[in-house]
Amino acid sequence: MRAQWFRACALLARPRVWRDAARGVRSCKAEQGVRHEQVSRRGKALWIPEHSQGRKERGRRDGLWSLERKGRSLAAAIVGLMFSWEEQQVKDAELDTCVVEFSWLDQQILQPTAARSLAPSWETVISKPSFKLWRRPLETGPLYQYRVFGTYTDITPRQFLNVQIDTDYRKRWDELVIKLDILDRDLTSGSEVVHWVTQFPYPMYARDYVYVRRWHTDPTKKLMVLVSRSVEHPSAPEHPKYVRVRSYESHMVIRAHHSFDEIGFDYLLTYTDDPQTVFPHYCISWMMSSGMPDFLEKLHRAARVAGQATGRLGAPGATGMEVGDPCVSGARGEDNEQLSQGTRHIGYA
């Protein structure tokens, strides 16, 4: 063993051994360097064209998307500049349709159980004695149309409608409001255009709505009707900070149990909204189904607070803006100047 150790030491002491070892190390490193360069060149040969093609494709796609977005904005601007009250106003026929929808409520809710024949397209989401929610899929896509029936016995029909059309009061009780302004009014029909910007849950951008609305009351039938639907208007161009919601519609019908200034009424809300989100549609459906009752309850509480502020819940004009009987004709003419301090349709984006 000791002899082998001395031979190893003698061998290592020779300069030639060290030179050969050094050459081997240099050769190994040089080979590794060449191999690395070859692999690198081969990788670049495979990756660069693919990468360049991807960049070109993305650039082309982004360019088309940008052009499409600019095209939509330009189209909206053109439509806005061409805004015509004759075409965009809420017409009497739309109000009449809402009243017909209320007859659906009579068949589904107020008739005896044996006489009910719920349309198969409507799916029951929530069923409580004083609150019912249905939905049905839209023909134009995967979203749903919602229909809500509710009853309140502690506020008046007038207070419930006032809370919905009073913009100043809405800014106080709805903490999600960023902007809420009346942009234009049509004294002939009583219609008005409203711009509403509302916060959405993080990380989504705020949504803005531009819509035309009109309300009508009929004391003889004890009915109040509020119709809202989206429009384009030159006074509200798209803003880069907000996402414009272009598709929604809301019909609210309120039927008093006694009179407009006595507590107790039923209501029927039919509502469609496309919030323009990238989330899966089942998430949007869940948000709408759960958020609708919450919003209506906020609306109910706001009406109660407004009624209590007057000293009695049945007082008309409890929100500071009163919908009086002169608006039976649809808030026409001078009456509209007095009555149109409004907010958007009931619901949210």
Side-chain angles (χ1 to χ4, degrees):
M1 185 70 179
R2 184 178 298 178
Q4 291 177 352
W5 170 256
F6 281 118
R7 281 198 298 272
C9 290
L11 182 62
L12 290 175
R14 297 177 182 177
R16 182 179 177 182
V17 173
W18 287 104
R19 285 196 303 270
D20 292 344
R23 281 198 200 98
V25 170
R26 285 196 297 270
S27 299
C28 182
K29 288 185 176 180
E31 184 179 351
Q32 290 177 351
V34 171
R35 179 62 178 166
H36 177 73
E37 186 177 354
Q38 290 175 346
V39 172
S40 178
R41 282 201 302 268
R42 184 176 300 175
K44 288 180 179 178
L46 294 174
W47 180 77
I48 289 178
E50 218 173 282
H51 179 64
S52 300
Q53 183 71 17
R55 288 176 57 186
K56 290 179 182 177
E57 179 64 23
R58 283 196 299 273
R60 186 182 68 84
R61 186 171 60 248
D62 292 346
L64 290 176
W65 180 84
S66 178
L67 288 174
E68 183 182 354
R69 184 176 182 183
K70 291 178 180 178
R72 288 199 304 266
S73 300
L74 179 60
I78 293 174
V79 171
L81 292 174
M82 297 171 59
F83 184 85
S84 168
W85 272 118
E86 184 177 355
E87 297 178 359
Q88 301 296 342
Q89 64 178 259
V90 178
K91 298 178 172 57
D92 292 343
E94 295 179 68
L95 300 173
D96 295 338
T97 300
C98 296
V99 175
V100 172
E101 288 178 352
F102 206 84
S103 64
W104 180 92
L105 172 66
D106 287 330
Q107 295 176 5
Q108 307 304 322
I109 303 300
L110 303 180
Q111 296 297 327
T113 304
R116 298 178 189 173
S117 58
L118 187 65
S121 59
W122 288 100
E123 172 191 357
T124 301
V125 179
I126 299 175
S127 182
K128 297 180 180 180
S130 60
F131 184 89
K132 299 182 185 299
L133 172 63
W134 300 272
R135 70 177 186 181
R136 67 178 177 183
L138 295 173
E139 296 179 357
T140 56
L143 297 176
Y144 289 88
Q145 182 182 41
Y146 294 88
R147 178 162 282 179
V148 180
F149 162 75
T151 300
Y152 290 123
T153 57
D154 55 353
I155 57 176
T156 69
R158 193 185 304 276
Q159 289 167 350
F160 191 59
L161 181 61
N162 283 350
V163 168
Q164 297 178 59
I165 62 179
D166 188 338
T167 51
D168 293 333
Y169 187 49
R170 172 71 179 268
K171 294 173 185 177
R172 296 201 300 270
W173 66 262
D174 188 354
E175 67 280 2
L176 299 179
V177 169
I178 299 175
K179 183 179 181 180
L180 183 60
D181 298 311
I182 298 175
L183 302 179
D184 199 359
R185 292 188 179 96
D186 178 33
L187 300 181
T188 302
S189 67
S191 302
E192 58 189 14
V193 175
V194 183
H195 183 209
W196 178 55
V197 183
T198 181
Q199 298 177 11
F200 256 48
Y202 180 84
M204 292 184 285
Y205 288 96
R207 263 57 179 174
D208 81 322
Y209 294 73
V210 180
Y211 60 93
V212 61
R213 71 171 185 184
R214 178 185 171 190
W215 65 86
H216 171 75
T217 65
D218 186 346
T220 59
K221 296 181 180 180
K222 302 180 182 179
L223 292 178
M224 292 178 161
V225 182
L226 175 62
V227 175
S228 304
R229 53 175 165 77
S230 56
V231 294
E232 296 290 344
H233 195 277
S235 299
E238 285 191 69
H239 195 286
K241 290 177 59 178
Y242 311 130
V243 175
R244 173 63 54 87
V245 176
R246 301 188 180 281
S247 175
Y248 86 88
E249 190 170 354
S250 172
H251 301 160
M252 168 72 78
V253 183
I254 303 169
R255 182 168 63 185
H257 291 170
H258 307 288
S259 70
F260 292 155
D261 295 319
E262 296 179 84
I263 60 174
F265 61 90
D266 304 316
Y267 69 87
L268 180 66
L269 169 65
T270 305
Y271 181 81
T272 305
D273 191 346
D274 182 1
Q276 300 288 315
T277 68
V278 296
F279 289 96
H281 296 298
Y282 63 83
C283 293
I284 304 302
S285 177
W286 175 83
M287 290 169 56
M288 297 287 287
S289 300
S290 60
M292 184 77 70
D294 294 340
F295 181 85
L296 288 168
E297 184 53 34
K298 286 175 61 177
L299 190 66
H300 174 221
R301 289 198 300 267
R304 279 189 57 83
V305 171
Q308 291 169 353
T310 65
R312 66 186 184 94
L313 289 176
T319 68
M321 176 274 169
E322 178 180 352
V323 176
D325 289 338
C327 73
V328 169
S329 60
R332 298 176 186 271
E334 296 179 358
D335 294 331
N336 188 52
E337 294 296 329
Q338 188 176 5
L339 301 173
S340 325
Q341 304 299 320
T343 185
R344 72 175 286 258
H345 66 287
I346 186 164
Y348 62 97

